[in-house]
Amino acid sequence: MINLEGKRALVTGGSRGIGKAIVLKLCALGCNVVFTYASNEEAALLTENESGNKAKGIKADAGSFEDAKTSFDFAISHLGGLDILVNNAGITRDNLIMRMNEEEFDSVITANLKSVFNYSKLAVSPMMSQRKGSIINITSVVGITGNAGQSNYAASKAGVAGFTKSLAKEVASRNITVNAIAPGFISTDMTGKLKENQKEVLMSLIPLKKFGEPEYIADAVAFLASDSAKYITGQILSVDGGMTM
């Protein structure tokens, strides 16, 4: 069984959906966690309560380096150090390229890709000093396959994959692992807005014939953060029901 007792983790975008599942999973396995959230304080408080008060939320715009620095410093102070970073924060602003405006493109790149740079840059220093650490980035199958109407999102998530592999090579000599998880279609607020005919089309692409649950991603995060994965780095793990095989 995976044991993360006493480990210290920072999760970006941890108040809802996949991020919340990750926070609660890490806490259940013994971690103390700080998570960021963009605006929904009520959801953040609910996550704190459900964690048994092992998690603490802090409001931050993950795409802003200034906000990232403030929240990162809080996490280090609150936790007393850092062993695990999970870069999960992200948004969508879907549109066909003919209709997509500059703000829709830039905001997605900033929230989904620059945020990974922000927190990874901050985390590398203390992890290098202690000569250990695990960074886990949440990308997407859309970054692998592409998807009409999501050129901004696909570009950001493909960027996360490339960033993951490059950073893994930079910090491997300091015993820091860097991996990414590419979720498929997961049952969240986002997929809950899909129409039934849209769900049927998506389901036809998934060999296991079902959407995933946020907990499936959390399980993969827990594995990659554990000693069971200490010889795994620079990898993109698809958790997608076989969609991209």
Side-chain angles (χ1 to χ4, degrees), residues 14-34:
S15 64
R16 295 183 296 172
I18 290 173
K20 178 178 180 178
I22 292 169
V23 169
L24 296 181
K25 183 69 175 182
L26 293 178
C27 288
L29 293 172
C31 273
N32 292 304
V33 180
V34 167

Side-chain angles (χ1 to χ4, degrees), residues 8-242:
R8 303 156 298 181
L10 171 60
V11 180
T12 67
S15 64
R16 295 183 296 172
I18 290 173
K20 178 178 180 178
I22 292 169
V23 169
L24 296 181
K25 183 69 175 182
L26 293 178
C27 288
L29 293 172
C31 273
N32 292 304
V33 180
V34 167
F35 65 91
T36 71
Y37 64 96
S39 59
N40 194 329
E41 184 176 0
E42 184 178 352
L45 290 173
L46 183 60
T47 300
E48 289 181 357
N49 291 336
E50 290 183 26
S51 75
N53 294 317
K54 289 181 69 67
K56 178 66 177 176
I58 179 170
K59 186 177 179 180
D61 174 2
S64 159
F65 190 80
E66 183 178 356
D67 268 23
K69 180 71 163 59
T70 299
S71 57
F72 184 84
D73 288 347
F74 171 82
I76 293 292
S77 175
H78 181 77
L79 298 170
L82 188 68
D83 304 296
I84 302 161
L85 169 65
V86 183
N87 284 307
N88 170 74
I91 63 171
T92 57
R93 295 287 186 271
D94 297 350
N95 219 336
L96 296 174
I97 193 69
M98 292 292 289
R99 299 173 184 168
M100 185 179 294
N101 60 43
E102 186 177 8
E103 189 279 331
E104 288 172 329
F105 187 86
D106 288 349
S107 62
V108 170
I109 296 296
T110 298
N112 297 3
L113 181 56
K114 186 170 181 287
S115 63
V116 176
F117 162 80
N118 290 342
Y119 284 92
S120 297
K121 179 177 174 64
L122 293 164
V124 160
S125 182
M127 288 183 176
M128 289 182 73
S129 295
Q130 65 194 22
R131 298 187 70 86
K132 64 178 180 178
S134 177
I135 298 174
I136 302 160
N137 302 320
I138 306 301
T139 177
S140 170
V141 294
V142 174
I144 301 170
T145 65
N147 195 37
Q150 289 193 303
S151 58
N152 50 1
Y153 185 76
S156 70
K157 292 303 187 177
V160 170
F163 182 95
T164 297
K165 290 180 176 292
S166 297
L167 183 58
K169 290 184 177 182
E170 287 187 26
V171 300
S173 64
R174 294 296 187 270
N175 199 36
I176 302 168
T177 61
V178 188
N179 294 288
I181 295 168
F185 289 97
I186 306 298
S187 295
T188 62
D189 292 343
M190 191 184 305
T191 54
K193 296 175 183 177
L194 295 173
K195 297 177 182 179
E196 284 305 313
N197 64 322
Q198 293 174 309
K199 290 181 180 180
E200 289 175 6
V201 171
L202 293 174
M203 205 73 74
S204 70
L205 303 175
I206 304 170
L208 285 181
K209 299 303 177 187
K210 61 180 179 180
F211 285 175
E213 298 297 331
E215 290 73 22
Y216 300 167
I217 310 305
D219 287 342
V221 168
F223 168 69
L224 289 174
S226 74
D227 286 343
S228 297
K230 60 187 175 184
Y231 199 57
I232 299 173
T233 195
Q235 302 304 304
I236 314 298
L237 174 61
S238 293
V239 182
D240 61 4

